[in-house]
Amino acid sequence: MKSISSWFFSSTVMLVAIHQPNYAPWIGYFRKIARASHFIFLDDAAFSKGSVINRVRILDDGKPAWLTVPAKPSSGTLIAAVVAGQSDWPKRHLSRLFNVYSGAGAFHEIWPDIERLYDSLPADKLADANRIIIHEVCAFLGIEPVFHCASEIGAGRTGDDRLIALVKAIPGATGYLSGRGGRKYQDESKFEAAGLTLAYNDYDPVAYAQTSPDFTPGLSILDAAFNLGWEGAAALVTGDSGSN
């Protein structure tokens, strides 16, 4: 499949996106990756209970339900250090995905890829498993950014200053791609002073055929893949409708 990353950003601006390594995330997450030439996993941030770092919604019997990697780290534990609470969670999740999506339109096309992917996942470190899933799904979608981990870059600052330092650590970077929510708290003047273009990732969910007659937005990209195939899911990522 042709790379889709170049469809999004101007050749004059090299965008860097930054986000926590979420679990099998939704389409908007992959749109953010696709719009950037470099993507940094913010794995040295503190794990947040109740976040989507260890869970994502899928459709189970036509209703949205959480697919959750069991994890109960102590307060302040960095994402990179979070250990899953069950050693067989990849097998459990694979079984559940089979049960809930075996009747989906593109199941037979997608299942061999998903089965190989989950069979390869490390069962202990959550961040490592999440990154592998994201890497592999990007490959299936034709997205080809360069991936980095914040824990390997460093940049011991906070807030916007930290984001700027991470972006500036990437040779040739000239812009930062923020989530839509960043408009509420980011100081755009700081990015301008640092010589960086500040862009925002906007994605409004587009309805597609699911295993339920009523469309449910915000599900794992695996839902789109099982229903539409990788090319259909990629088309949603590259769509013009524009929320991180």
Side-chain angles (χ1 to χ4, degrees), residues 45-202:
F47 176 83
S48 178
K49 182 180 179 181
S51 70
V52 288
I53 297 169
N54 69 316
R55 63 178 188 164
V56 70
R57 293 197 309 163
I58 59 173
L59 277 187
D60 190 343
D61 195 24
K63 299 178 181 179
W66 289 108
L67 185 65
T68 304
V69 179
K72 295 182 179 180
S74 58
S75 178
T77 300
L78 300 185
I79 296 170
V82 174
V83 176
Q86 292 177 341
S87 61
D88 64 345
W89 73 263
K91 182 178 180 180
R92 289 172 178 263
H93 283 203
L94 190 61
S95 177
R96 189 174 180 197
L97 288 170
F98 180 89
N99 289 335
V100 303
Y101 286 114
S102 58
F107 174 81
H108 294 292
E109 171 196 343
I110 297 303
W111 181 249
D113 294 330
I114 299 303
E115 188 172 32
R116 284 192 299 269
L117 172 56
Y118 272 77
D119 283 344
S120 74
L121 293 180
D124 49 357
K125 292 296 184 67
L126 174 64
D128 290 349
N130 288 357
R131 286 191 295 104
I132 290 171
I133 292 172
I134 292 167
H135 284 177
E136 291 300 309
V137 170
C138 280
F140 294 139
L141 296 173
I143 303 174
E144 301 174 349
V146 179
F147 289 103
H148 309 268
C149 290
S151 59
E152 298 174 353
I153 297 174
R157 302 182 185 184
T158 59
D160 289 342
D161 292 330
R162 184 174 183 229
L163 296 176
I164 290 169
L166 286 170
V167 173
K168 299 285 279 186
I170 305 301
T174 56
Y176 170 59
L177 179 61
S178 170
R180 175 183 286 177
R183 288 192 176 98
K184 300 177 182 178
Y185 58 82
Q186 281 170 180
D187 185 346
E188 297 187 3
S189 65
K190 283 190 174 183
F191 291 88
E192 182 179 357
L196 295 174
T197 297
L198 180 59
Y200 292 95
N201 182 51
D202 289 338

